[in-house]
Structure formats: structure tokens, C-alpha cells
Amino acid sequence: MGVEIGSKLEGKVTGITKFGAFVELPGNVTGLVHISEIADVYVKDIHQFLKIGDIVTVKVLSVKEGKIGLSIKKAQEKERQPRQPRERTEGFEDKLNRFLKESEDRLSSLKKSGDKKGRGR
């Protein structure tokens, strides 16, 4: 399996620096997981998340001039489900007619209660 952008691979952490972690991938190629791609939270010290020898799943973000950019956090994201279109149960015209009818009913009940109060005086 080659190293292609978008592919998810397992690799072994072989080195840790203050800016990221080096991961050895299948085929004896090494890529870098930048510190911002380690976790979904702010990472101040990589050692709190990784240690040399850890086996991690990474997603290939870029391959440029022999340098491979990797992400642990993007490898953990679940595939997004396509959005389902909502079913139209009531059209605009129907909603407008319902609103007008409810408004007329409320107004007539307010008028009736107002007339009863006015007659009692």
C-alpha cells in the first residue's frame, strides 16, 4: 500500500520534537505529525499524548518533495454522513393559511372576551 493523500495508515512513533512527532510508515518511509495535528485539544507537550514506540493510526495530509504530512486527529474523525434532505410536510401556502386561521380565531376570541367585559359595567 503506497502513501497517498487521504489514506489512513498505521505507523510507529520513532521520534518526538517540540513541533511534532515522526512516524515510520509501511515501506520504511517516515512522515511528520505536526503538533497541531496530534489531538483535538491544545497540545503544549507532545509527551503527554505520545511516546516513542507507540503505534498510531494517521491520515496522510500531504506529500511534497519527499516530505509526508500526517494527522492523528483527522485519522480519528468519523466519516461524515451525507445530509438527508428534509421531507416537506407542509408547504408555505399551507403554513400561511394555518397562521391566518389561527390569528383570526385568536382575534375573535379576544373580541368576544372584550365585549363581555364592556357589557358588565
Side-chain angles (χ1 to χ4, degrees), residues 35-70:
I35 191 168
S36 64
E37 294 294 330
I38 301 276
D40 283 331
V41 296
Y42 177 74
V43 177
K44 185 174 183 178
D45 181 12
I46 296 172
H47 292 91
Q48 293 176 334
F49 294 86
L50 298 172
K51 65 183 184 296
I52 293 177
D54 282 351
I55 303 297
V56 293
T57 301
V58 294
K59 183 173 184 177
V60 180
L61 300 180
S62 64
V63 179
K64 274 191 221 174
E65 301 168 13
K67 294 182 180 181
I68 302 168
L70 305 170

mmCIF file of all heavy atoms in Angstrom, residues 35-70:
data_model
loop_
_atom_site.group_PDB
_atom_site.id
_atom_site.type_symbol
_atom_site.label_atom_id
_atom_site.label_comp_id
_atom_site.label_asym_id
_atom_site.label_seq_id
_atom_site.Cartn_x
_atom_site.Cartn_y
_atom_site.Cartn_z
ATOM 1 N N ILE A 35 2.466 19.224 15.641
ATOM 2 C CA ILE A 35 1.880 19.305 16.984
ATOM 3 C C ILE A 35 0.393 19.676 16.931
ATOM 4 O O ILE A 35 -0.394 19.207 17.736
ATOM 5 C CB ILE A 35 2.681 20.288 17.872
ATOM 6 C CG1 ILE A 35 2.231 20.169 19.326
ATOM 7 C CG2 ILE A 35 2.580 21.709 17.342
ATOM 8 C CD1 ILE A 35 3.144 20.881 20.316
ATOM 9 N N SER A 36 -0.007 20.460 15.928
ATOM 10 C CA SER A 36 -1.412 20.864 15.813
ATOM 11 C C SER A 36 -2.303 19.738 15.307
ATOM 12 O O SER A 36 -3.525 19.851 15.335
ATOM 13 C CB SER A 36 -1.539 22.077 14.882
ATOM 14 O OG SER A 36 -1.147 21.722 13.572
ATOM 15 N N GLU A 37 -1.707 18.651 14.833
ATOM 16 C CA GLU A 37 -2.468 17.512 14.304
ATOM 17 C C GLU A 37 -2.426 16.286 15.228
ATOM 18 O O GLU A 37 -2.815 15.202 14.838
ATOM 19 C CB GLU A 37 -1.942 17.129 12.915
ATOM 20 C CG GLU A 37 -2.167 18.182 11.852
ATOM 21 C CD GLU A 37 -3.641 18.404 11.543
ATOM 22 O OE1 GLU A 37 -4.442 17.465 11.675
ATOM 23 O OE2 GLU A 37 -3.998 19.537 11.165
ATOM 24 N N ILE A 38 -1.968 16.481 16.472
ATOM 25 C CA ILE A 38 -1.868 15.374 17.424
ATOM 26 C C ILE A 38 -3.242 15.052 18.031
ATOM 27 O O ILE A 38 -3.634 13.901 18.109
ATOM 28 C CB ILE A 38 -0.876 15.708 18.572
ATOM 29 C CG1 ILE A 38 0.523 15.992 18.006
ATOM 30 C CG2 ILE A 38 -0.879 14.637 19.648
ATOM 31 C CD1 ILE A 38 1.391 14.820 17.749
ATOM 32 N N ALA A 39 -3.962 16.090 18.479
ATOM 33 C CA ALA A 39 -5.228 15.869 19.190
ATOM 34 C C ALA A 39 -6.183 17.024 18.914
ATOM 35 O O ALA A 39 -5.784 18.079 18.411
ATOM 36 C CB ALA A 39 -4.969 15.748 20.681
ATOM 37 N N ASP A 40 -7.458 16.808 19.302
ATOM 38 C CA ASP A 40 -8.478 17.842 19.124
ATOM 39 C C ASP A 40 -8.377 18.953 20.158
ATOM 40 O O ASP A 40 -9.078 19.942 20.076
ATOM 41 C CB ASP A 40 -9.888 17.221 19.209
ATOM 42 C CG ASP A 40 -10.252 16.501 17.932
ATOM 43 O OD1 ASP A 40 -9.765 16.892 16.851
ATOM 44 O OD2 ASP A 40 -11.043 15.543 18.000
ATOM 45 N N VAL A 41 -7.533 18.787 21.150
ATOM 46 C CA VAL A 41 -7.329 19.804 22.178
ATOM 47 C C VAL A 41 -5.955 20.441 21.992
ATOM 48 O O VAL A 41 -5.121 19.929 21.244
ATOM 49 C CB VAL A 41 -7.446 19.183 23.601
ATOM 50 C CG1 VAL A 41 -8.849 18.646 23.842
ATOM 51 C CG2 VAL A 41 -6.424 18.094 23.815
ATOM 52 N N TYR A 42 -5.727 21.560 22.683
ATOM 53 C CA TYR A 42 -4.435 22.236 22.604
ATOM 54 C C TYR A 42 -3.350 21.329 23.188
ATOM 55 O O TYR A 42 -3.488 20.803 24.289
ATOM 56 C CB TYR A 42 -4.483 23.564 23.366
ATOM 57 C CG TYR A 42 -3.158 24.277 23.385
ATOM 58 C CD1 TYR A 42 -2.680 24.920 22.245
ATOM 59 C CD2 TYR A 42 -2.371 24.297 24.526
ATOM 60 C CE1 TYR A 42 -1.456 25.571 22.249
ATOM 61 C CE2 TYR A 42 -1.149 24.949 24.542
ATOM 62 C CZ TYR A 42 -0.705 25.575 23.403
ATOM 63 O OH TYR A 42 0.514 26.220 23.409
ATOM 64 N N VAL A 43 -2.280 21.149 22.432
ATOM 65 C CA VAL A 43 -1.169 20.292 22.864
ATOM 66 C C VAL A 43 0.035 21.182 23.160
ATOM 67 O O VAL A 43 0.609 21.769 22.253
ATOM 68 C CB VAL A 43 -0.803 19.249 21.777
ATOM 69 C CG1 VAL A 43 0.396 18.416 22.219
ATOM 70 C CG2 VAL A 43 -1.991 18.367 21.454
ATOM 71 N N LYS A 44 0.373 21.273 24.441
ATOM 72 C CA LYS A 44 1.549 22.058 24.825
ATOM 73 C C LYS A 44 2.783 21.168 24.845
ATOM 74 O O LYS A 44 3.851 21.549 24.398
ATOM 75 C CB LYS A 44 1.322 22.690 26.194
ATOM 76 C CG LYS A 44 2.431 23.613 26.617
ATOM 77 C CD LYS A 44 2.098 24.337 27.901
ATOM 78 C CE LYS A 44 3.215 25.304 28.237
ATOM 79 N NZ LYS A 44 2.924 26.074 29.444
ATOM 80 N N ASP A 45 2.609 19.941 25.373
ATOM 81 C CA ASP A 45 3.712 18.987 25.473
ATOM 82 C C ASP A 45 3.287 17.685 24.802
ATOM 83 O O ASP A 45 2.387 16.990 25.289
ATOM 84 C CB ASP A 45 4.064 18.750 26.943
ATOM 85 C CG ASP A 45 5.222 17.769 27.121
ATOM 86 O OD1 ASP A 45 5.902 17.439 26.118
ATOM 87 O OD2 ASP A 45 5.437 17.333 28.266
ATOM 88 N N ILE A 46 3.935 17.342 23.708
ATOM 89 C CA ILE A 46 3.595 16.141 22.946
ATOM 90 C C ILE A 46 3.741 14.884 23.798
ATOM 91 O O ILE A 46 2.994 13.924 23.634
ATOM 92 C CB ILE A 46 4.457 16.043 21.669
ATOM 93 C CG1 ILE A 46 4.140 17.224 20.752
ATOM 94 C CG2 ILE A 46 4.229 14.737 20.938
ATOM 95 C CD1 ILE A 46 5.050 17.338 19.561
ATOM 96 N N HIS A 47 4.659 14.913 24.748
ATOM 97 C CA HIS A 47 4.911 13.737 25.588
ATOM 98 C C HIS A 47 3.686 13.344 26.418
ATOM 99 O O HIS A 47 3.597 12.219 26.903
ATOM 100 C CB HIS A 47 6.117 13.976 26.503
ATOM 101 C CG HIS A 47 7.403 14.070 25.741
ATOM 102 N ND1 HIS A 47 7.903 15.264 25.283
ATOM 103 C CD2 HIS A 47 8.267 13.114 25.332
ATOM 104 C CE1 HIS A 47 9.030 15.047 24.628
ATOM 105 N NE2 HIS A 47 9.277 13.735 24.650
ATOM 106 N N GLN A 48 2.733 14.261 26.594
ATOM 107 C CA GLN A 48 1.509 13.933 27.322
ATOM 108 C C GLN A 48 0.578 13.064 26.457
ATOM 109 O O GLN A 48 -0.354 12.462 26.974
ATOM 110 C CB GLN A 48 0.772 15.206 27.742
ATOM 111 C CG GLN A 48 1.519 16.007 28.776
ATOM 112 C CD GLN A 48 0.814 17.316 29.111
ATOM 113 O OE1 GLN A 48 0.069 17.861 28.299
ATOM 114 N NE2 GLN A 48 1.049 17.815 30.307
ATOM 115 N N PHE A 49 0.829 13.015 25.151
ATOM 116 C CA PHE A 49 -0.030 12.280 24.225
ATOM 117 C C PHE A 49 0.655 11.084 23.569
ATOM 118 O O PHE A 49 0.012 10.092 23.270
ATOM 119 C CB PHE A 49 -0.539 13.227 23.124
ATOM 120 C CG PHE A 49 -1.455 14.294 23.639
ATOM 121 C CD1 PHE A 49 -0.951 15.475 24.137
ATOM 122 C CD2 PHE A 49 -2.825 14.101 23.628
ATOM 123 C CE1 PHE A 49 -1.805 16.472 24.616
ATOM 124 C CE2 PHE A 49 -3.683 15.080 24.099
ATOM 125 C CZ PHE A 49 -3.163 16.262 24.603
ATOM 126 N N LEU A 50 1.971 11.199 23.341
ATOM 127 C CA LEU A 50 2.702 10.156 22.615
ATOM 128 C C LEU A 50 4.028 9.850 23.278
ATOM 129 O O LEU A 50 4.605 10.706 23.958
ATOM 130 C CB LEU A 50 2.987 10.616 21.179
ATOM 131 C CG LEU A 50 1.811 10.899 20.257
ATOM 132 C CD1 LEU A 50 2.300 11.518 18.960
ATOM 133 C CD2 LEU A 50 1.027 9.635 19.979
ATOM 134 N N LYS A 51 4.497 8.630 23.013
ATOM 135 C CA LYS A 51 5.865 8.280 23.408
ATOM 136 C C LYS A 51 6.480 7.458 22.285
ATOM 137 O O LYS A 51 5.767 6.870 21.464
ATOM 138 C CB LYS A 51 5.902 7.551 24.753
ATOM 139 C CG LYS A 51 5.226 6.203 24.780
ATOM 140 C CD LYS A 51 5.287 5.623 26.195
ATOM 141 C CE LYS A 51 4.708 4.243 26.278
ATOM 142 N NZ LYS A 51 3.306 4.105 26.002
ATOM 143 N N ILE A 52 7.782 7.437 22.236
ATOM 144 C CA ILE A 52 8.484 6.683 21.191
ATOM 145 C C ILE A 52 8.108 5.203 21.324
ATOM 146 O O ILE A 52 8.081 4.658 22.423
ATOM 147 C CB ILE A 52 10.008 6.897 21.299
ATOM 148 C CG1 ILE A 52 10.313 8.349 20.949
ATOM 149 C CG2 ILE A 52 10.762 5.938 20.388
ATOM 150 C CD1 ILE A 52 11.753 8.749 21.068
ATOM 151 N N GLY A 53 7.775 4.602 20.184
ATOM 152 C CA GLY A 53 7.367 3.206 20.154
ATOM 153 C C GLY A 53 5.862 3.019 20.050
ATOM 154 O O GLY A 53 5.400 1.916 19.760
ATOM 155 N N ASP A 54 5.090 4.081 20.302
ATOM 156 C CA ASP A 54 3.633 3.972 20.182
ATOM 157 C C ASP A 54 3.240 3.652 18.743
ATOM 158 O O ASP A 54 3.840 4.158 17.790
ATOM 159 C CB ASP A 54 2.947 5.293 20.568
ATOM 160 C CG ASP A 54 2.870 5.518 22.065
ATOM 161 O OD1 ASP A 54 3.197 4.588 22.826
ATOM 162 O OD2 ASP A 54 2.472 6.633 22.466
ATOM 163 N N ILE A 55 2.228 2.811 18.603
ATOM 164 C CA ILE A 55 1.651 2.527 17.288
ATOM 165 C C ILE A 55 0.427 3.427 17.146
ATOM 166 O O ILE A 55 -0.459 3.416 18.009
ATOM 167 C CB ILE A 55 1.239 1.038 17.160
ATOM 168 C CG1 ILE A 55 2.431 0.116 17.413
ATOM 169 C CG2 ILE A 55 0.598 0.775 15.798
ATOM 170 C CD1 ILE A 55 3.577 0.255 16.419
ATOM 171 N N VAL A 56 0.407 4.214 16.085
ATOM 172 C CA VAL A 56 -0.682 5.180 15.882
ATOM 173 C C VAL A 56 -1.272 5.024 14.482
ATOM 174 O O VAL A 56 -0.597 4.568 13.558
ATOM 175 C CB VAL A 56 -0.192 6.633 16.077
ATOM 176 C CG1 VAL A 56 0.202 6.889 17.519
ATOM 177 C CG2 VAL A 56 0.951 6.964 15.146
ATOM 178 N N THR A 57 -2.529 5.411 14.353
ATOM 179 C CA THR A 57 -3.170 5.482 13.046
ATOM 180 C C THR A 57 -3.114 6.933 12.600
ATOM 181 O O THR A 57 -3.476 7.837 13.361
ATOM 182 C CB THR A 57 -4.640 5.007 13.130
ATOM 183 O OG1 THR A 57 -4.654 3.668 13.618
ATOM 184 C CG2 THR A 57 -5.300 5.054 11.765
ATOM 185 N N VAL A 58 -2.645 7.143 11.387
ATOM 186 C CA VAL A 58 -2.502 8.508 10.863
ATOM 187 C C VAL A 58 -3.192 8.618 9.502
ATOM 188 O O VAL A 58 -3.392 7.623 8.813
ATOM 189 C CB VAL A 58 -1.013 8.897 10.716
ATOM 190 C CG1 VAL A 58 -0.333 8.985 12.057
ATOM 191 C CG2 VAL A 58 -0.276 7.945 9.802
ATOM 192 N N LYS A 59 -3.536 9.841 9.174
ATOM 193 C CA LYS A 59 -4.084 10.133 7.849
ATOM 194 C C LYS A 59 -3.055 10.978 7.111
ATOM 195 O O LYS A 59 -2.490 11.919 7.675
ATOM 196 C CB LYS A 59 -5.405 10.889 7.971
ATOM 197 C CG LYS A 59 -6.077 11.155 6.637
ATOM 198 C CD LYS A 59 -7.459 11.741 6.829
ATOM 199 C CE LYS A 59 -8.153 11.899 5.497
ATOM 200 N NZ LYS A 59 -9.530 12.406 5.675
ATOM 201 N N VAL A 60 -2.806 10.643 5.851
ATOM 202 C CA VAL A 60 -1.822 11.366 5.049
ATOM 203 C C VAL A 60 -2.470 12.656 4.548
ATOM 204 O O VAL A 60 -3.476 12.628 3.839
ATOM 205 C CB VAL A 60 -1.324 10.506 3.866
ATOM 206 C CG1 VAL A 60 -0.307 11.284 3.042
ATOM 207 C CG2 VAL A 60 -0.737 9.194 4.360
ATOM 208 N N LEU A 61 -1.879 13.796 4.936
ATOM 209 C CA LEU A 61 -2.398 15.100 4.530
ATOM 210 C C LEU A 61 -1.711 15.647 3.289
ATOM 211 O O LEU A 61 -2.338 16.287 2.454
ATOM 212 C CB LEU A 61 -2.238 16.120 5.671
ATOM 213 C CG LEU A 61 -2.943 15.812 6.984
ATOM 214 C CD1 LEU A 61 -2.682 16.927 7.984
ATOM 215 C CD2 LEU A 61 -4.432 15.625 6.772
ATOM 216 N N SER A 62 -0.395 15.400 3.206
ATOM 217 C CA SER A 62 0.352 15.951 2.070
ATOM 218 C C SER A 62 1.600 15.114 1.802
ATOM 219 O O SER A 62 2.142 14.472 2.696
ATOM 220 C CB SER A 62 0.759 17.405 2.349
ATOM 221 O OG SER A 62 1.643 17.466 3.451
ATOM 222 N N VAL A 63 2.019 15.145 0.533
ATOM 223 C CA VAL A 63 3.268 14.513 0.123
ATOM 224 C C VAL A 63 3.942 15.499 -0.825
ATOM 225 O O VAL A 63 3.482 15.691 -1.944
ATOM 226 C CB VAL A 63 3.031 13.158 -0.589
ATOM 227 C CG1 VAL A 63 4.350 12.542 -1.014
ATOM 228 C CG2 VAL A 63 2.244 12.202 0.287
ATOM 229 N N LYS A 64 5.002 16.174 -0.320
ATOM 230 C CA LYS A 64 5.700 17.188 -1.122
ATOM 231 C C LYS A 64 7.198 17.004 -0.997
ATOM 232 O O LYS A 64 7.725 16.980 0.116
ATOM 233 C CB LYS A 64 5.374 18.604 -0.612
ATOM 234 C CG LYS A 64 4.148 19.213 -1.177
ATOM 235 C CD LYS A 64 4.114 20.690 -0.797
ATOM 236 C CE LYS A 64 2.718 21.085 -0.421
ATOM 237 N NZ LYS A 64 2.608 22.434 0.076
ATOM 238 N N GLU A 65 7.852 16.889 -2.110
ATOM 239 C CA GLU A 65 9.311 16.810 -2.154
ATOM 240 C C GLU A 65 9.867 15.810 -1.150
ATOM 241 O O GLU A 65 10.811 16.096 -0.407
ATOM 242 C CB GLU A 65 9.919 18.201 -1.924
ATOM 243 C CG GLU A 65 9.463 19.227 -2.943
ATOM 244 C CD GLU A 65 9.841 20.651 -2.537
ATOM 245 O OE1 GLU A 65 10.655 20.829 -1.612
ATOM 246 O OE2 GLU A 65 9.291 21.569 -3.157
ATOM 247 N N GLY A 66 9.219 14.658 -1.056
ATOM 248 C CA GLY A 66 9.690 13.611 -0.157
ATOM 249 C C GLY A 66 9.269 13.790 1.287
ATOM 250 O O GLY A 66 9.571 12.950 2.128
ATOM 251 N N LYS A 67 8.587 14.884 1.604
ATOM 252 C CA LYS A 67 8.117 15.119 2.975
ATOM 253 C C LYS A 67 6.649 14.728 3.051
ATOM 254 O O LYS A 67 5.850 15.120 2.206
ATOM 255 C CB LYS A 67 8.293 16.586 3.365
ATOM 256 C CG LYS A 67 9.748 17.000 3.440
ATOM 257 C CD LYS A 67 9.861 18.435 3.871
ATOM 258 C CE LYS A 67 11.319 18.844 3.939
ATOM 259 N NZ LYS A 67 11.463 20.232 4.369
ATOM 260 N N ILE A 68 6.312 13.966 4.087
ATOM 261 C CA ILE A 68 4.944 13.472 4.242
ATOM 262 C C ILE A 68 4.328 14.120 5.484
ATOM 263 O O ILE A 68 4.850 13.982 6.595
ATOM 264 C CB ILE A 68 4.934 11.933 4.384
ATOM 265 C CG1 ILE A 68 5.596 11.285 3.159
ATOM 266 C CG2 ILE A 68 3.512 11.421 4.570
ATOM 267 C CD1 ILE A 68 5.886 9.818 3.325
ATOM 268 N N GLY A 69 3.231 14.829 5.274
ATOM 269 C CA GLY A 69 2.496 15.456 6.373
ATOM 270 C C GLY A 69 1.378 14.535 6.836
ATOM 271 O O GLY A 69 0.582 14.054 6.035
ATOM 272 N N LEU A 70 1.338 14.281 8.149
ATOM 273 C CA LEU A 70 0.383 13.334 8.710
ATOM 274 C C LEU A 70 -0.488 13.992 9.773
ATOM 275 O O LEU A 70 -0.144 15.040 10.313
ATOM 276 C CB LEU A 70 1.137 12.159 9.347
ATOM 277 C CG LEU A 70 2.126 11.408 8.467
ATOM 278 C CD1 LEU A 70 2.948 10.442 9.304
ATOM 279 C CD2 LEU A 70 1.392 10.684 7.354
#
